[in-house]
Coordinates of all heavy atoms in Angstrom, one line a residue:
M1 N 99.2 79.2 111.6 CA 100.5 79.2 110.9 C 101.4 80.3 111.5 O 100.9 81.4 111.6 CB 100.4 79.3 109.4 CG 101.6 79.3 108.7 SD 101.5 79.5 106.9 CE 100.2 78.3 106.5
K2 N 102.6 80.0 111.8 CA 103.5 81.0 112.3 C 104.0 81.9 111.2 O 104.4 81.3 110.1 CB 104.7 80.4 113.1 CG 105.6 81.4 113.7 CD 106.7 80.7 114.4 CE 107.7 81.8 115.0 NZ 108.8 81.2 115.7
R3 N 104.0 83.2 111.4 CA 104.4 84.1 110.3 C 105.6 84.9 110.8 O 105.7 85.2 112.0 CB 103.3 85.0 109.9 CG 102.2 84.3 109.2 CD 101.2 85.3 108.6 NE 100.6 86.3 109.5 CZ 99.4 86.1 110.1 NH1 98.7 85.1 109.9 NH2 99.0 87.1 110.9
E4 N 106.5 85.3 109.9 CA 107.6 86.1 110.2 C 107.4 87.5 109.7 O 106.9 87.7 108.6 CB 108.9 85.6 109.6 CG 109.3 84.2 110.2 CD 110.6 83.7 109.6 OE1 111.4 84.5 109.1 OE2 110.8 82.5 109.6
R5 N 107.8 88.6 110.5 CA 107.6 89.9 110.0 C 108.5 90.2 108.8 O 109.6 89.6 108.7 CB 108.0 90.9 111.1 CG 107.1 90.8 112.3 CD 106.0 91.8 112.1 NE 104.9 91.6 113.1 CZ 103.7 91.6 112.9 NH1 103.2 91.9 111.7 NH2 102.8 91.4 113.8
L6 N 108.0 91.1 107.9 CA 108.8 91.5 106.7 C 109.1 93.0 106.8 O 108.3 93.8 107.3 CB 107.9 91.2 105.5 CG 107.6 89.7 105.2 CD1 106.7 89.7 103.9 CD2 108.9 89.0 104.9
D7 N 110.1 93.3 106.1 CA 110.4 94.8 105.8 C 109.9 95.1 104.5 O 110.6 95.0 103.5 CB 112.0 95.0 105.9 CG 112.3 96.4 105.7 OD1 111.5 97.3 105.9 OD2 113.5 96.7 105.4
S8 N 108.6 95.4 104.4 CA 107.9 95.7 103.1 C 106.9 96.8 103.3 O 106.3 96.9 104.4 CB 107.2 94.4 102.7 OG 106.3 94.6 101.6
S9 N 106.7 97.6 102.3 CA 105.7 98.7 102.4 C 104.3 98.2 102.4 O 103.4 98.8 102.9 CB 106.0 99.7 101.3 OG 105.8 99.1 100.1
S10 N 104.0 97.0 101.8 CA 102.7 96.5 101.7 C 102.4 95.2 102.5 O 101.2 95.0 102.8 CB 102.3 96.3 100.2 OG 103.2 95.4 99.6
L11 N 103.4 94.5 102.8 CA 103.3 93.2 103.5 C 103.8 93.3 104.9 O 104.9 93.7 105.1 CB 104.0 92.1 102.7 CG 103.7 92.0 101.2 CD1 104.5 90.8 100.6 CD2 102.2 91.8 101.0
A12 N 103.0 92.8 105.9 CA 103.5 92.9 107.3 C 104.2 91.6 107.7 O 105.2 91.6 108.4 CB 102.2 93.1 108.2
S13 N 103.7 90.4 107.3 CA 104.3 89.2 107.7 C 103.9 88.1 106.7 O 103.0 88.2 105.9 CB 103.9 88.7 109.1 OG 102.5 88.5 109.1
V14 N 104.7 87.0 106.7 CA 104.5 85.9 105.8 C 104.8 84.6 106.5 O 105.7 84.5 107.4 CB 105.3 86.0 104.5 CG1 106.8 86.0 104.8 CG2 105.0 85.0 103.5
G15 N 104.1 83.5 106.2 CA 104.3 82.2 106.7 C 104.2 81.2 105.6 O 103.5 81.5 104.6
Y16 N 104.8 80.0 105.7 CA 104.7 79.0 104.7 C 104.6 77.6 105.3 O 105.4 77.3 106.2 CB 105.9 79.1 103.8 CG 105.9 78.1 102.6 CD1 104.9 78.2 101.6 CD2 106.7 77.0 102.5 CE1 104.9 77.3 100.5 CE2 106.7 76.1 101.5 CZ 105.8 76.3 100.5 OH 105.7 75.4 99.4
D17 N 103.7 76.8 104.8 CA 103.5 75.4 105.3 C 104.0 74.5 104.1 O 103.3 74.4 103.1 CB 102.1 75.1 105.6 CG 101.9 73.7 106.1 OD1 102.7 72.8 105.8 OD2 100.8 73.4 106.7
P18 N 105.3 74.0 104.2 CA 105.8 73.2 103.1 C 105.0 71.9 102.8 O 105.0 71.5 101.7 CB 107.3 73.0 103.5 CG 107.3 73.2 104.9 CD 106.2 74.1 105.3
A19 N 104.5 71.3 103.9 CA 103.7 70.1 103.7 C 102.4 70.3 102.9 O 102.1 69.5 102.0 CB 103.4 69.4 105.0
A20 N 101.8 71.4 103.1 CA 100.5 71.7 102.4 C 100.7 72.7 101.2 O 99.7 72.9 100.5 CB 99.5 72.3 103.4
H21 N 101.9 73.2 101.1 CA 102.2 74.2 100.0 C 101.3 75.4 100.1 O 100.8 75.8 99.1 CB 102.1 73.5 98.6 CG 103.1 72.4 98.4 ND1 104.4 72.7 98.1 CD2 103.0 71.1 98.6 CE1 105.1 71.5 98.0 NE2 104.2 70.5 98.3
V22 N 101.1 75.9 101.3 CA 100.3 77.1 101.5 C 101.2 78.3 102.0 O 101.9 78.1 102.9 CB 99.2 76.8 102.6 CG1 98.4 78.0 103.0 CG2 98.3 75.7 102.1
L23 N 101.0 79.4 101.3 CA 101.7 80.6 101.6 C 100.6 81.5 102.3 O 99.6 81.8 101.7 CB 102.2 81.3 100.3 CG 102.8 82.7 100.5 CD1 104.1 82.6 101.3 CD2 103.0 83.3 99.1
E24 N 101.0 82.0 103.5 CA 100.0 82.9 104.2 C 100.7 84.3 104.3 O 101.8 84.4 104.7 CB 99.8 82.3 105.6 CG 98.7 83.1 106.4 CD 98.3 82.3 107.6 OE1 97.6 81.3 107.5 OE2 98.6 82.8 108.7
V25 N 99.9 85.3 103.9 CA 100.4 86.6 103.8 C 99.5 87.6 104.6 O 98.3 87.5 104.5 CB 100.5 87.1 102.4 CG1 100.9 88.6 102.3 CG2 101.4 86.3 101.6
E26 N 100.1 88.3 105.5 CA 99.4 89.4 106.2 C 99.8 90.7 105.6 O 101.0 91.0 105.5 CB 99.7 89.4 107.7 CG 99.1 90.5 108.5 CD 99.6 90.7 109.9 OE1 100.6 90.1 110.3 OE2 98.9 91.4 110.7
F27 N 98.8 91.5 105.2 CA 99.1 92.8 104.6 C 99.1 93.9 105.7 O 98.6 93.7 106.7 CB 98.0 93.1 103.5 CG 98.1 92.3 102.3 CD1 97.5 91.0 102.3 CD2 98.8 92.7 101.2 CE1 97.6 90.2 101.2 CE2 98.9 91.9 100.1 CZ 98.3 90.6 100.1
R28 N 99.7 95.0 105.4 CA 99.8 96.1 106.3 C 98.4 96.6 106.7 O 98.3 97.1 107.8 CB 100.6 97.2 105.7 CG 102.1 96.9 105.5 CD 102.9 97.4 106.7 NE 104.3 96.9 106.5 CZ 105.0 96.4 107.5 NH1 104.6 96.3 108.7 NH2 106.2 96.0 107.2
N29 N 97.4 96.4 105.9 CA 96.1 96.9 106.2 C 95.3 95.9 107.1 O 94.2 96.1 107.5 CB 95.2 97.2 105.0 CG 94.9 96.0 104.2 OD1 95.2 94.8 104.6 ND2 94.3 96.2 103.1
G30 N 96.0 94.8 107.5 CA 95.4 93.8 108.4 C 94.8 92.6 107.7 O 94.5 91.6 108.4
G31 N 94.6 92.6 106.4 CA 94.0 91.5 105.7 C 95.0 90.3 105.7 O 96.2 90.5 105.6
V32 N 94.5 89.1 105.9 CA 95.3 87.9 105.8 C 94.7 87.0 104.8 O 93.5 86.7 104.8 CB 95.3 87.2 107.2 CG1 96.2 85.9 107.1 CG2 95.9 88.1 108.3
Y33 N 95.6 86.5 103.9 CA 95.2 85.6 102.8 C 96.1 84.4 102.8 O 97.3 84.5 103.1 CB 95.3 86.3 101.4 CG 94.3 87.4 101.2 CD1 94.4 88.7 101.8 CD2 93.1 87.1 100.5 CE1 93.5 89.6 101.6 CE2 92.2 88.1 100.3 CZ 92.3 89.3 100.8 OH 91.4 90.3 100.6
Q34 N 95.6 83.3 102.3 CA 96.4 82.1 102.0 C 96.4 81.9 100.5 O 95.3 81.9 99.9 CB 95.8 80.9 102.8 CG 96.1 80.9 104.3 CD 95.7 79.7 105.0 OE1 94.8 78.9 104.5 NE2 96.2 79.5 106.1
Y35 N 97.5 81.6 100.0 CA 97.7 81.2 98.6 C 98.0 79.7 98.5 O 99.0 79.3 99.2 CB 98.7 82.1 97.9 CG 98.3 83.6 98.0 CD1 98.7 84.4 99.0 CD2 97.5 84.1 97.0 CE1 98.3 85.7 99.1 CE2 97.1 85.4 97.1 CZ 97.5 86.2 98.1 OH 97.0 87.5 98.2
L36 N 97.3 79.0 97.7 CA 97.4 77.5 97.7 C 98.2 77.0 96.6 O 98.4 77.7 95.6 CB 95.9 77.0 97.6 CG 94.9 77.6 98.6 CD1 93.5 77.0 98.3 CD2 95.3 77.4 100.0
D37 N 98.7 75.8 96.8 CA 99.5 75.1 95.8 C 100.8 75.9 95.4 O 101.2 75.9 94.2 CB 98.7 74.8 94.5 CG 97.4 74.0 94.8 OD1 97.5 73.1 95.7 OD2 96.4 74.3 94.3
V38 N 101.4 76.5 96.3 CA 102.7 77.2 96.1 C 103.9 76.3 96.4 O 104.1 75.9 97.5 CB 102.8 78.5 97.0 CG1 104.1 79.2 96.8 CG2 101.6 79.4 96.8
P39 N 104.6 75.9 95.4 CA 105.7 74.9 95.6 C 106.8 75.6 96.4 O 107.0 76.8 96.4 CB 106.2 74.6 94.2 CG 105.3 75.3 93.2 CD 104.4 76.2 94.0
D40 N 107.6 74.7 97.0 CA 108.8 75.2 97.8 C 109.7 76.2 97.1 O 110.1 77.2 97.6 CB 109.6 74.0 98.3 CG 108.8 73.1 99.2 OD1 107.7 73.4 99.7 OD2 109.3 72.0 99.5
G41 N 110.0 75.8 95.8 CA 110.9 76.7 95.0 C 110.3 78.1 94.8 O 111.0 79.1 94.8
E42 N 109.0 78.1 94.6 CA 108.4 79.4 94.3 C 108.4 80.3 95.6 O 108.5 81.5 95.6 CB 107.0 79.3 93.8 CG 106.4 80.6 93.3 CD 105.2 80.4 92.4 OE1 104.7 79.2 92.2 OE2 104.7 81.4 91.9
Y43 N 108.1 79.6 96.8 CA 108.2 80.3 98.0 C 109.6 80.9 98.2 O 109.8 82.0 98.7 CB 107.8 79.4 99.2 CG 108.2 80.0 100.5 CD1 107.4 81.0 101.0 CD2 109.3 79.5 101.3 CE1 107.7 81.6 102.2 CE2 109.6 80.1 102.5 CZ 108.8 81.2 103.0 OH 109.1 81.8 104.2
E44 N 110.6 80.1 97.9 CA 112.0 80.6 98.1 C 112.3 81.8 97.2 O 112.9 82.7 97.6 CB 113.0 79.5 97.8 CG 113.1 78.4 98.8 CD 113.5 78.9 100.2 OE1 114.4 79.7 100.3 OE2 112.9 78.4 101.2
E45 N 111.8 81.8 96.0 CA 111.9 82.9 95.1 C 111.2 84.1 95.7 O 111.7 85.2 95.6 CB 111.4 82.6 93.7 CG 112.2 81.6 92.9 CD 111.6 81.3 91.6 OE1 110.7 82.0 91.1 OE2 112.1 80.3 90.9
F46 N 110.0 83.9 96.2 CA 109.2 85.0 96.8 C 110.0 85.6 98.0 O 110.2 86.8 98.1 CB 107.9 84.5 97.2 CG 107.1 85.4 98.2 CD1 106.6 86.6 97.7 CD2 106.9 85.1 99.5 CE1 105.9 87.4 98.6 CE2 106.3 85.9 100.4 CZ 105.7 87.1 99.9
I47 N 110.4 84.8 98.9 CA 111.0 85.3 100.1 C 112.4 86.0 99.9 O 112.8 86.8 100.7 CB 111.2 84.1 101.2 CG1 111.1 84.7 102.6 CG2 112.3 83.3 101.0 CD1 109.9 85.3 103.0
T48 N 113.0 85.6 98.8 CA 114.3 86.3 98.4 C 114.2 87.4 97.4 O 115.2 88.0 97.0 CB 115.4 85.2 97.9 OG1 114.8 84.6 96.8 CG2 115.7 84.2 99.0
A49 N 113.0 87.6 96.9 CA 112.8 88.7 95.9 C 113.1 90.1 96.5 O 112.8 90.3 97.7 CB 111.3 88.6 95.4
P50 N 113.7 90.9 95.7 CA 114.0 92.3 96.2 C 112.7 93.1 96.6 O 112.7 93.8 97.5 CB 114.6 93.0 95.0 CG 115.0 91.9 94.0 CD 114.2 90.7 94.3
S51 N 111.6 92.8 95.8 CA 110.3 93.4 96.2 C 109.3 92.3 96.3 O 108.8 91.7 95.4 CB 109.8 94.4 95.1 OG 108.5 94.8 95.4
K52 N 109.0 91.9 97.6 CA 108.1 90.8 97.9 C 106.6 91.2 97.4 O 105.9 90.4 96.9 CB 108.1 90.5 99.3 CG 109.4 89.7 99.6 CD 109.7 89.7 101.1 CE 111.1 89.2 101.4 NZ 112.2 90.0 100.8
G53 N 106.3 92.5 97.5 CA 104.9 92.9 97.1 C 104.8 92.7 95.6 O 103.8 92.3 95.1
R54 N 105.8 93.1 94.8 CA 105.8 93.0 93.4 C 105.7 91.5 93.0 O 104.9 91.1 92.1 CB 107.0 93.7 92.7 CG 106.9 93.6 91.2 CD 108.1 94.3 90.6 NE 108.0 95.7 90.9 CZ 109.1 96.5 91.3 NH1 110.3 95.9 91.3 NH2 108.9 97.7 91.5
Y55 N 106.5 90.7 93.6 CA 106.5 89.3 93.3 C 105.2 88.6 93.6 O 104.6 87.9 92.8 CB 107.6 88.5 94.1 CG 107.8 87.1 93.6 CD1 108.8 86.8 92.7 CD2 107.1 86.1 94.1 CE1 109.0 85.5 92.2 CE2 107.2 84.8 93.6 CZ 108.2 84.5 92.7 OH 108.4 83.2 92.2
L56 N 104.6 89.0 94.7 CA 103.3 88.5 95.1 C 102.2 88.9 94.0 O 101.5 88.0 93.6 CB 102.8 89.0 96.4 CG 101.5 88.6 96.9 CD1 101.6 87.1 97.4 CD2 101.0 89.4 98.1
N57 N 102.3 90.1 93.6 CA 101.3 90.6 92.6 C 101.5 90.0 91.2 O 100.5 89.8 90.5 CB 101.3 92.1 92.5 CG 100.7 92.8 93.7 OD1 99.7 92.2 94.3 ND2 101.2 93.9 94.1
T58 N 102.7 89.8 90.8 CA 103.0 89.3 89.4 C 103.1 87.8 89.3 O 102.8 87.2 88.2 CB 104.3 89.9 88.8 OG1 105.4 89.6 89.6 CG2 104.1 91.5 88.8
E59 N 103.5 87.1 90.3 CA 103.8 85.7 90.2 C 102.8 84.8 91.1 O 102.4 83.7 90.6 CB 105.2 85.3 90.6 CG 106.3 86.1 89.8 CD 106.3 85.7 88.4 OE1 105.9 84.6 88.0 OE2 106.6 86.7 87.6
I60 N 102.5 85.2 92.3 CA 101.7 84.4 93.2 C 100.2 84.6 92.9 O 99.5 83.6 92.6 CB 102.0 84.7 94.6 CG1 103.5 84.5 95.0 CG2 101.1 83.9 95.6 CD1 104.0 83.1 95.0
K61 N 99.7 85.8 93.0 CA 98.3 86.1 92.9 C 97.7 85.6 91.5 O 96.6 85.0 91.6 CB 98.0 87.6 93.0 CG 98.0 88.1 94.5 CD 97.7 89.5 94.5 CE 97.6 90.0 95.9 NZ 97.2 91.4 96.0
P62 N 98.3 85.8 90.4 CA 97.7 85.4 89.1 C 97.7 83.9 88.9 O 97.0 83.3 88.1 CB 98.5 86.1 88.0 CG 99.4 87.0 88.7 CD 99.5 86.6 90.1
N63 N 98.6 83.1 89.6 CA 98.8 81.7 89.4 C 98.4 80.8 90.5 O 98.5 79.5 90.3 CB 100.3 81.5 89.1 CG 100.8 82.3 87.9 OD1 100.1 82.2 86.8 ND2 101.8 83.1 88.0
H64 N 97.8 81.3 91.6 CA 97.5 80.4 92.7 C 96.1 80.8 93.3 O 95.9 82.0 93.5 CB 98.5 80.4 93.8 CG 99.9 80.0 93.3 ND1 100.2 78.6 93.2 CD2 101.0 80.6 92.9 CE1 101.4 78.5 92.7 NE2 101.9 79.7 92.5
P65 N 95.3 79.8 93.5 CA 94.0 80.2 94.2 C 94.3 80.7 95.6 O 95.3 80.4 96.2 CB 93.2 78.9 94.2 CG 94.2 77.8 94.0 CD 95.4 78.4 93.3
S66 N 93.4 81.6 96.1 CA 93.6 82.1 97.4 C 92.3 82.1 98.2 O 91.2 81.9 97.7 CB 94.0 83.6 97.3 OG 93.0 84.4 96.7
R67 N 92.5 82.2 99.5 CA 91.3 82.3 100.4 C 91.6 83.4 101.5 O 92.7 83.5 101.9 CB 90.9 81.0 101.1 CG 92.1 80.4 101.9 CD 91.6 79.0 102.4 NE 92.8 78.3 102.9 CZ 93.0 77.0 102.8 NH1 92.1 76.3 102.2 NH2 94.0 76.5 103.4
K68 N 90.6 84.2 101.8 CA 90.7 85.3 102.7 C 90.5 84.8 104.1 O 89.4 84.1 104.3 CB 89.7 86.4 102.3 CG 89.8 87.6 103.1 CD 88.9 88.6 102.6 CE 89.0 90.0 103.2 NZ 88.1 91.0 102.6
L69 N 91.4 85.0 105.1 CA 91.2 84.6 106.4 C 90.6 85.6 107.3 O 89.9 85.4 108.3 CB 92.5 84.1 107.0 CG 93.2 82.9 106.3 CD1 94.4 82.4 107.1 CD2 92.2 81.7 106.2
S70 N 91.0 86.9 107.1 CA 90.5 88.0 107.9 C 90.4 89.2 107.1 O 91.1 89.5 106.2 CB 91.4 88.2 109.1 OG 92.6 88.8 108.7
P71 N 89.4 90.1 107.4 CA 89.2 91.3 106.7 C 90.3 92.3 107.1 O 90.8 92.3 108.2 CB 87.8 91.8 107.1 CG 87.6 91.2 108.5 CD 88.4 89.9 108.5
P72 N 90.5 93.3 106.3 CA 91.5 94.4 106.6 C 90.9 95.2 107.8 O 89.7 95.3 108.0 CB 91.6 95.2 105.4 CG 90.9 94.5 104.3 CD 90.1 93.4 104.9
R73 N 91.8 95.8 108.6 CA 91.3 96.7 109.7 C 90.8 97.9 109.1 O 91.3 98.4 108.1 CB 92.5 97.0 110.6 CG 93.0 95.8 111.4 CD 94.0 96.3 112.4 NE 95.2 96.8 111.8 CZ 96.3 96.2 111.5 NH1 96.4 94.9 111.8 NH2 97.3 96.7 110.9
R74 N 89.7 98.4 109.7 CA 89.2 99.7 109.2 C 89.8 100.9 109.9 O 90.0 100.8 111.1 CB 87.7 99.7 109.5 CG 86.9 98.7 108.6 CD 85.5 98.9 108.8 NE 84.8 97.9 108.0 CZ 83.5 97.6 108.1 NH1 82.8 98.1 109.0 NH2 83.0 96.6 107.3
P75 N 90.1 101.9 109.2 CA 90.7 103.1 109.9 C 89.7 103.7 110.8 O 88.5 103.7 110.5 CB 91.1 104.1 108.7 CG 90.7 103.4 107.5 CD 90.0 102.1 107.8
R76 N 90.2 104.3 111.9 CA 89.2 104.9 112.9 C 89.2 106.4 112.7 O 90.0 107.0 112.3 CB 89.7 104.6 114.3 CG 89.6 103.1 114.6 CD 90.0 102.8 115.9 NE 89.9 101.4 116.1 CZ 90.0 100.7 117.2 NH1 90.2 101.4 118.3 NH2 89.9 99.4 117.3

């Protein structure tokens, strides 16, 4: 899934598949997660939210199943 870079302290990039209703989020620590069953309207609210990290934590994470695609990068 193609992701776009974000100006966020905790999120690096985000992508959305409207056909599958899947939101894909890359965190600044390198972890990538997909959130399932995210309707188009909720994605629009997320992408326009003043704080995408806060919206993700309060609206997306508690209400949508997720799957981890990659582990976070380890500091060297």
Side-chain angles (χ1 to χ4, degrees):
M1 176 180 312
K2 183 178 178 180
R3 295 190 302 263
E4 295 182 24
R5 294 273 169 219
L6 293 177
D7 182 18
S8 168
S9 61
S10 59
L11 310 178
S13 65
V14 64
Y16 182 67
D17 181 343
H21 298 278
V22 174
L23 174 67
E24 188 170 287
V25 176
E26 176 189 15
F27 290 86
R28 293 262 174 222
N29 69 4
V32 179
Y33 289 80
Q34 288 185 338
Y35 298 90
L36 312 177
D37 304 320
V38 178
D40 297 347
E42 192 165 5
Y43 169 71
E44 289 299 323
E45 289 178 14
F46 165 72
I47 206 67
T48 59
S51 172
K52 289 161 189 59
R54 182 177 297 136
Y55 191 93
L56 182 73
N57 286 329
T58 61
E59 303 298 328
I60 303 288
K61 285 183 177 182
N63 299 309
H64 299 281
S66 65
R67 58 183 169 217
K68 187 176 187 177
L69 298 185
S70 68
R73 291 187 298 264
R74 293 185 180 166
R76 294 180 183 193

